Amino acid sequence: MKERIKFSEISNELINVLMQTETYIKKSQFPIQLIEMIKFRVSQINGCAYCLDMHFKEAIHHGESEKRLYSLSAWRECPYYSEKERITLEFAETITLISENHLSDDQFEKLQAHFTVQEIADLTLIINQINLWNRYMKILGTEPGNHKVLQGS
């Protein structure tokens, strides 16, 4: 894919808003491994190569196993995701493909059994934020493969 728009052409104000949201997400009660798993799974669904590269590297850096990341698109068939992770992944898929899916009352009850109202709101933000980034990266034409994990992040 050819780069269409450089980040430097986007207003600092917009980038700051996006980065403030990322800061909020990092400070949330969710473990960084779960946040990166969500970002990786949503990026798989959206086919965002740039974000797949980034979030694979970030997840590994934060202690996630390669096996769990490689298997993420088939998580329903794998025994090594917790019940809470399964509910989270199902929710992420539903929200990402909201025009094709319906958030059922049963699914919402499962969420409520594992998460507080605030946690559900934060999960929704995490899912929507990576959906937004996926769309930006695809529009910008950002080249995948060059992400470097910052030490201390």
Side-chain angles (χ1 to χ4, degrees), residues 41-54:
R41 179 64 189 126
V42 170
S43 297
Q44 285 179 323
I45 293 167
N46 290 325
C48 182
Y50 181 86
C51 292
L52 283 167
D53 173 62
M54 173 187 281

Side-chain angles (χ1 to χ4, degrees), residues 39-142:
K39 290 180 176 185
F40 189 74
R41 179 64 189 126
V42 170
S43 297
Q44 285 179 323
I45 293 167
N46 290 325
C48 182
Y50 181 86
C51 292
L52 283 167
D53 173 62
M54 173 187 281
H55 296 295
F56 183 87
K57 291 173 181 175
E58 291 290 336
I60 295 297
H61 174 74
H62 291 290
E64 187 55 78
S65 75
E66 288 186 11
K67 175 176 81 172
R68 284 170 36 99
L69 292 171
Y70 291 144
S71 303
L72 203 50
S73 64
W75 62 266
R76 285 175 177 84
E77 300 172 25
C78 301
Y80 35 82
Y81 300 101
S82 71
E83 183 65 21
K84 200 169 191 175
E85 289 169 332
R86 291 173 182 283
I87 290 164
T88 302
L89 291 167
E90 183 178 31
F91 184 55
E93 291 176 359
T94 298
I95 297 304
T96 298
L97 300 170
I98 196 71
S99 67
E100 299 172 21
N101 296 320
H102 174 73
L103 181 62
S104 69
D105 289 340
D106 180 55
Q107 187 180 1
F108 193 76
E109 286 171 12
K110 288 179 189 175
L111 277 169
Q112 287 182 307
H114 286 86
F115 300 106
T116 66
V117 169
Q118 186 60 52
E119 288 171 330
I120 293 170
D122 287 347
L123 275 175
T124 304
L125 177 66
I126 294 165
I127 295 162
N128 284 305
Q129 178 77 352
I130 188 58
N131 271 293
L132 177 62
W133 279 117
N134 289 165
R135 283 147 178 83
Y136 267 126
M137 293 303 103
K138 292 178 98 46
I139 289 166
L140 298 176
T142 308

Side-chain angles (χ1 to χ4, degrees), residues 3-18 133 135-137 139-142:
E3 184 177 53
R4 299 175 183 138
I5 301 172
K6 296 181 185 314
F7 258 98
S8 60
E9 297 177 86
I10 299 171
S11 76
N12 286 335
E13 187 176 20
L14 173 61
I15 299 301
N16 287 339
V17 168
L18 294 171
W133 279 117
R135 283 147 178 83
Y136 267 126
M137 293 303 103
I139 289 166
L140 298 176
T142 308

